[in-house]
Amino acid sequence: MGFMSLGCGWDYGRKCQWETDILVGFLPKAWSDRTHTTFTLKQNYIPWSIRCCDRFAVEPLSCGIYLNLITGEDYWVREPDRYPGDSYYGFTSRLRAHLYFGQRFTYYLKNDSLLRNITLYYEFSANDLDIIAKCGNKSLELSEIVYFSVGIKFQLLRL
């Protein structure tokens, strides 16, 4: 998703346990050859939420999938002509699918404010290409394919 992302989304389901988010992020030059923009479509599932008091809840499991697209000349959807054959790599370097799981901690604000709640979360994720590589290479360590993310989510409205 990049170093930092900003977006919007909505929650739905019987107990609002499903969420869909659309995010735009950036990856600074400090972590890449140049600055890149990222676009993410994320589907979250939160099976249960445990209210600890009036204003605080713990979501002990959040999980889901997201698609992440990165911009830049070095990333492609179809392989460039410089690679031999029709399917030298057989995958796109621009688009990755990720599976993730994590936990969330939510603080609920007053009902009459525009800002409804603030959620702190962390996630562990792995992308499709790294998972396939791990299946074919048992010497590849989990720490080499699993990514750690932290974030803050602000819910402004509830319709």
Side-chain angles (χ1 to χ4, degrees), residues 45-72:
Y45 178 64
I46 302 94
W48 62 89
S49 180
I50 301 167
R51 288 296 277 254
C52 299
C53 61
D54 282 347
R55 299 209 174 205
F56 187 72
V58 175
E59 283 112 16
L61 176 64
S62 63
C63 55
I65 187 168
Y66 60 91
L67 296 173
N68 182 258
L69 182 128
I70 188 166
T71 62

Side-chain angles (χ1 to χ4, degrees), residues 72-76 78-85 88-89 93:
E73 298 170 359
D74 297 333
Y75 300 98
W76 66 85
R78 276 188 247 125
E79 291 177 11
D81 292 334
R82 66 178 178 255
Y83 295 109
Y88 185 76
Y89 281 113
S93 66

Side-chain angles (χ1 to χ4, degrees), residues 76-140:
W76 66 85
V77 174
R78 276 188 247 125
E79 291 177 11
D81 292 334
R82 66 178 178 255
Y83 295 109
D86 292 336
S87 184
Y88 185 76
Y89 281 113
F91 62 86
T92 171
S93 66
R94 183 166 289 206
L95 184 66
R96 294 271 61 85
H98 293 254
L99 294 173
Y100 86 88
F101 72 92
Q103 290 184 322
R104 303 174 3 155
F105 308 93
T106 300
Y107 180 74
Y108 294 92
L109 291 109
K110 295 179 181 179
N111 287 337
D112 59 348
S113 69
L114 176 64
L115 181 60
R116 298 293 184 166
N117 61 52
I118 301 171
T119 301
L120 303 174
Y121 66 90
Y122 69 87
E123 299 171 351
F124 293 97
S125 68
N127 69 51
D128 55 347
L129 193 59
D130 288 342
I131 292 169
I132 291 168
K134 175 66 177 155
C135 292
N137 183 354
K138 302 298 180 199
S139 65
L140 194 60

